[in-house]
Amino acid sequence: MKLLEDRIREEGTVKPGDVLKVDAFLNHQCDITLFDKMGEEWARLFEGTRIDKILTIEASGIGIACMAARHFQNVPVVFAKKAQSINLDGEQYSTSIYSFTKQKEFPVIVGKKFLTEGEHVLIIDDFLANGNALNGLLHICESAGVVVEGFGIAVEKGFQGGGDALRQRGYRVESLARIRTMDATDRSIEFY
Amino acid sequence: MKLLEDRIREEGTVKPGDVLKVDAFLNHQCDITLFDKMGEEWARLFEGTRIDKILTIEASGIGIACMAARHFQNVPVVFAKKAQSINLDGEQYSTSIYSFTKQKEFPVIVGKKFLTEGEHVLIIDDFLANGNALNGLLHICESAGVVVEGFGIAVEKGFQGGGDALRQRGYRVESLARIRTMDATDRSIEFY
């Protein structure tokens, strides 16, 4: 999606350690007009696919997912919570995700009543790198018996392999900006 | 706002310890149509007021704030981050908020470049109880020198006093559902 790629080129910052900062428009300050266009684009890409619900993970996915839902007949958005500790009361699907950014493992939960067996789900998130967070959401979706129709991703760091691993497992991954290489020394970014 | 009050009566659950669960439509599963109507109502209430930016706090405020922004000429939404540890590199406004729900103090940050002196800001959040989180955001707004035009709150637990304390300080607080009393034994909820 040229609009997002251009924005990343203009306002994104490549930092050492394969970090791409897009906090000016995507995940700290949110450009609502951009989010709306992104939602429109995912709706175009998934046109004809049954989507009953959008699943995302707090915090940065929420705004994007809510704005996107408008373009999917206002389906409900469920966001997985990063819990302090897993309350194993049986009312929640839970899994554990390792975050390279935060260098630690954290539990993620979704209330069982918010994912119903047989529902068709679109998973939306701001970033896809190694795929740990999305694999955690997939694990929850498998536990719930929902049908994952695909992934709507804003920025995929293609060189980190998480997206291709999902594609090889047969999942549809629609990344609006897919980065082939990026370089912190000359701050260059090349898209697929 | 009758729509929200009705929804709280129908799907909210009062739990012991003054806890109101509204996770079916507000802060775990998100009803996008409801969020849109809430945004429309805040826009009506703040009509004629200059709003340059909406400020909220992760995670539950983000979806509501993004949907509301559409009704404020798509102004940017900035969400304060609950940090693991405060990175005092001078590029962030930071404060500390005590959460009664989580029984601990946690740092909250906003990138300095995302709040500009003289900007007029509307603060939006899902809940207002004792006001700790909002006072933290106010503290950050004071540091940044922005003008806080008011607060748009989904659910105010009026009996916990945080809203009235803000009103006494001269702030405009527009809560769409303002609870006078609620009772976990008979599950009753009375609004103002």
Side-chain angles (χ1 to χ4, degrees):
Chain A
M1 188 191 189
K2 189 170 181 302
L3 185 72
L4 182 59
E5 289 178 357
D6 287 349
R7 197 62 178 277
I8 292 168
R9 278 204 189 87
E10 285 159 24
E11 292 187 51
T13 316
V14 184
K15 299 267 184 187
D18 290 334
V19 173
L20 175 65
K21 286 197 83 168
V22 287
D23 55 356
F25 54 96
L26 199 67
N27 53 16
H28 188 4
Q29 181 165 256
C30 307
D31 181 330
I32 299 305
T33 306
L34 175 66
F35 283 18
D36 193 46
K37 295 284 180 196
M38 288 162 54
E40 197 174 86
E41 177 65 1
W42 282 315
R44 190 186 67 79
L45 291 163
F46 285 96
E47 198 180 349
T49 306
R50 174 180 158 191
I51 304 289
D52 302 316
K53 194 165 273 182
I54 291 174
L55 177 66
T56 186
I57 182 166
E58 66 176 30
S60 315
I62 300 173
I64 300 169
C66 286
M67 291 295 291
R70 292 182 55 240
H71 298 278
F72 288 86
Q73 291 80 45
N74 283 358
V75 293
V77 170
V78 173
F79 61 90
K81 300 194 172 201
K82 293 173 182 166
Q84 294 297 319
S85 59
I86 294 177
N87 176 10
L88 291 169
D89 60 2
E91 292 174 3
Q92 295 158 337
Y93 298 111
S94 64
T95 190
S96 187
I97 293 177
Y98 182 79
S99 164
F100 283 98
T101 319
K102 291 178 180 162
Q103 297 271 312
K104 68 168 195 169
E105 192 117 356
F106 58 91
V108 170
I109 57 170
V110 175
K112 284 195 176 176
K113 60 184 169 179
F114 302 129
L115 288 177
T116 306
E117 195 178 339
E119 274 183 330
H120 290 232
V121 170
L122 171 64
I123 295 177
I124 281 186
D125 207 1
D126 59 336
F127 264 96
L128 166 52
N130 51 62
N132 278 7
L134 298 187
N135 280 313
L137 292 185
L138 263 185
H139 180 78
I140 284 176
C141 285
E142 282 160 10
S143 306
V146 301
V147 180
V148 175
E149 286 289 359
F151 295 85
I153 304 299
V155 186
E156 178 183 343
K157 294 197 273 185
F159 56 90
Q160 292 191 329
D164 282 339
L166 287 169
R167 289 181 188 100
Q168 277 159 27
R169 288 171 61 191
Y171 288 105
R172 183 166 173 196
V173 182
E174 296 290 358
S175 302
L176 303 184
R178 194 156 164 243
I179 298 171
R180 184 194 297 269
T181 59
M182 57 186 210
D183 192 328
T185 45
D186 64 1
R187 300 191 163 198
S188 64
I189 301 173
E190 193 192 326
F191 296 96
Y192 279 94
Chain B
M1 188 190 189
K2 189 170 179 304
L3 185 71
L4 181 60
E5 290 178 358
D6 287 349
R7 196 64 179 275
I8 292 168
R9 277 202 190 89
E10 286 159 23
E11 292 188 51
T13 316
V14 184
K15 300 266 186 186
D18 290 333
V19 173
L20 175 64
K21 286 198 82 168
V22 287
D23 54 358
F25 54 96
L26 199 67
N27 53 17
H28 188 4
Q29 181 164 257
C30 307
D31 181 329
I32 300 306
T33 307
L34 175 66
F35 284 18
D36 192 47
K37 295 283 181 197
M38 288 162 54
E40 195 174 86
E41 178 66 1
W42 282 316
R44 191 186 67 81
L45 291 164
F46 284 96
E47 197 180 350
T49 305
R50 174 181 158 192
I51 304 290
D52 302 316
K53 194 165 272 182
I54 291 174
L55 177 66
T56 186
I57 182 167
E58 66 175 31
S60 315
I62 300 173
I64 301 169
C66 286
M67 291 295 291
R70 293 182 55 237
H71 299 278
F72 288 86
Q73 291 79 46
N74 284 358
V75 293
V77 170
V78 173
F79 61 88
K81 299 194 172 201
K82 293 174 181 166
Q84 294 297 318
S85 60
I86 294 178
N87 175 9
L88 291 169
D89 60 1
E91 291 175 3
Q92 294 158 336
Y93 298 111
S94 64
T95 190
S96 185
I97 293 177
Y98 182 80
S99 164
F100 282 98
T101 318
K102 291 177 181 164
Q103 297 270 312
K104 68 168 196 168
E105 192 117 355
F106 58 91
V108 171
I109 58 169
V110 175
K112 284 194 176 175
K113 59 183 170 181
F114 302 129
L115 289 175
T116 306
E117 195 177 340
E119 275 184 328
H120 290 231
V121 170
L122 172 63
I123 295 177
I124 281 186
D125 207 1
D126 58 337
F127 264 95
L128 167 51
N130 51 62
N132 278 6
L134 298 186
N135 280 313
L137 292 184
L138 263 184
H139 180 78
I140 284 176
C141 285
E142 282 161 9
S143 306
V146 301
V147 180
V148 176
E149 286 290 358
F151 295 84
I153 304 298
V155 186
E156 178 183 342
K157 294 198 273 185
F159 55 90
Q160 292 191 328
D164 282 341
L166 287 169
R167 289 180 187 100
Q168 277 159 27
R169 289 169 62 191
Y171 288 105
R172 184 167 173 195
V173 182
E174 295 290 358
S175 302
L176 302 184
R178 195 157 163 243
I179 297 171
R180 184 195 296 270
T181 59
M182 57 186 210
D183 192 328
T185 44
D186 65 1
R187 302 192 161 196
S188 63
I189 302 172
E190 192 191 326
F191 296 96
Y192 279 93

